[in-house]
Amino acid sequence: MNHNLALTDEALLTIEKPERYIGNEVNSVIKDKGQIDIRFAFCFPDVYEIGMSHLGIQILYGMFNSYSDVWCERVYSPWMDMDALMRDKNIPLFALESQDPVKDFDFLGFTIQYEMCYTNILQVLDLSGIPLKSDDRTWDDPIVIGGGPCTYNPEPIADFFDIFYIGEGETRYRELFDLYKDTKKKGISREDFLHEAAKIPGIYVPSFYEVRYKGDGTIDSMNPVFDDIPRTIKKEMCTDLSHEFYPTKPVVPYIKITQDRVVLEIMRGCIRGCRFCQAGQLYKPLREKDVEYLKKIAIEALENTGYEEISLSSLSSSDYSKLPELIDFLIKSCNEKKINISLPSLRIDAFSLDVMSKVQDVKKSSLTFAPEAGTQRMRDVINKGLTEEDILRGSHEAFLGGWNKVKLYFMLGLPTETDEDIYGIGDIANKVAVEYFETVPKEKRGGRTIDIVASTSFFVPKPFTPFQWAPMNTKEEFLDKANKTRKGIMSQLNQKHIKYNWHEADASMMEGIFARGDRKLCDVILKAYEKGCVFDAWSEYFNFEKWMDTFKECGVDPFFYTTRQRADDEIFPWDLIDCGVTKAFLLREWKNALAGKKSMNCRQGCLGCGAASYGVGVCTESKVNA
């Protein structure tokens, strides 16, 4: 198949990493345009290396291309050098596989994983020549659709999308495509197509919902403008993951990307119930994949890609009930072929350490703990079931096994936090160092010593978590807390073995504004983009001052979304979405947090969060109901 590139060789030679734009990678799908009814451009609104590492696109790319009437292609945000070249030479943004302009496609789908990518969505629309606002589009433009975790509060970007798909993509796309084909045959209007689409479960068409505000800026009501579309949109969810499509021929890039390996998703959801964690609520209930199915998939994917590493993907791998069997199988089949196994998100216990010593080079790798908070009181508030004893016991076992690098992750700015909680971060790091010196006698250290890296990120309250009611710290408070943490670490006996990293406060504040924002932010985002804000997720391009000026110009108070304490009965912008977990449950958990009360995990007993309504996964395991 001849591969006509959208860019000339001369143009490609003027930009860094031209491989981002030429397509034709191993396992990418080329189809005959004459045989296709629907063309779908799938966009990850960030640079190629980040977007190519995303499992969700690989799943839907493979699934859509398994339909004989659909051709799905990929598109990513052009990096700044390429962006300038396209504007200068008037080259429209194109999809990688066919190199055809995105504007000529039927659908342009975005997966929205991170709030700081919002201006990149506008960059992609703009470079494609697609009107930025859905109201201005006609049948000459693609249907612009958004999915992914950020669409659980889609309101800050509602004006830019025709449709949001709420939930897991495997369930309803076929129905949407059939409706689209039918619509095109009948020649009905774009508006009528969207009206019919809004009746499909999981499909949210923001232009058909009207928001009214109270005098204080909070929401008074959100109602559909038609009687035949739902009041709330319930998330879509796969009920049997072992029989859903899973890609065993993922696209293999030419250049090194962030996650260069086969990714094996072993389950979805989590039983843990950490109160700050959005994913834990959105992907409830926990659903496991059948272990025999996983073995088969793993071998196929390794054969089809030539990758030398396989990684298990889930929110908490240790909770997968057949983990020992799966890992034994992988160790046997991967060792012969010199394939590495990486196991993120394990709880550090004797079993995990045993496994890790079998699959990792202990000398090189470091052990990761996420205590999230410096004191047990604070860990109880966030319902993080990890005690100091767990950390020290895990460290002790690890030091005996030859590890000497430890990473510790914490959050600053959690609800009810005090100075004691902040100084506790240094205490834990110091205790881990002490554990090392007590566990490994001098003569056994072989010239090595303990290396501890403590990192803090700033807490951002997210929708559909018990902390959605919580006020967020200001940038100044965050930096003050980072300073206290640093002082606390420097006052420790073993401070020279402890390195401290912290996050940027500006970006965290913006993330907090977008996370709990409403439709008033659409204008702010549009204006900021017009002033040149793009790649906000990259510190070298993020311009906080420009954003703050834009808020002022638009007459929108950014602190309304961050530092304000919410009333128990406030209507939130995301209340028209039902993620399966009830607001009453989240409120109960918020009150438990303020009282410092822990809750059990889903395998210990049911807390009645509402997710059992899906009738699958951990909710159906026989156990005593609380």
Side-chain angles (χ1 to χ4, degrees), residues 169-236:
E170 288 95 337
T171 59
R172 295 287 171 183
Y173 268 110
R174 186 63 259 183
E175 213 172 312
L176 186 66
F177 293 158
D178 290 340
L179 173 67
Y180 180 81
K181 280 166 63 170
D182 194 40
T183 304
K184 282 294 212 189
K185 253 190 218 109
K186 290 182 179 147
I188 69 175
S189 71
R190 199 172 193 270
E191 171 124 351
D192 287 341
F193 163 72
L194 291 173
H195 188 161
E196 289 308 304
K199 298 174 190 173
I200 297 177
I203 299 288
Y204 170 44
V205 179
S207 58
F208 294 158
Y209 291 78
E210 190 178 34
V211 185
R212 294 173 185 241
Y213 296 93
K214 296 179 179 164
D216 63 1
T218 59
I219 291 172
D220 186 35
S221 67
M222 304 171 86
N223 292 311
V225 295
F226 298 114
D227 295 338
D228 57 354
I229 62 174
R231 252 183 193 285
T232 52
I233 295 90
K234 192 169 164 72
K235 82 165 173 203
E236 280 297 299

Side-chain angles (χ1 to χ4, degrees), residues 261-265 309-313 340-344:
R261 56 186 77 104
V262 165
V263 178
L264 187 66
E265 183 190 42
E309 185 170 351
I310 184 165
S311 168
L312 302 189
S313 159
N340 288 329
I341 304 167
S342 78
L343 305 163

Side-chain angles (χ1 to χ4, degrees), residues 270-276 281 284 382-384 589 601:
C270 186
I271 58 173
R272 295 283 154 191
C274 299
R275 291 175 181 138
F276 56 84
Q281 306 294 346
K284 275 182 171 175
I382 61 177
N383 208 37
K384 177 83 190 181
E589 279 293 280
N601 73 49

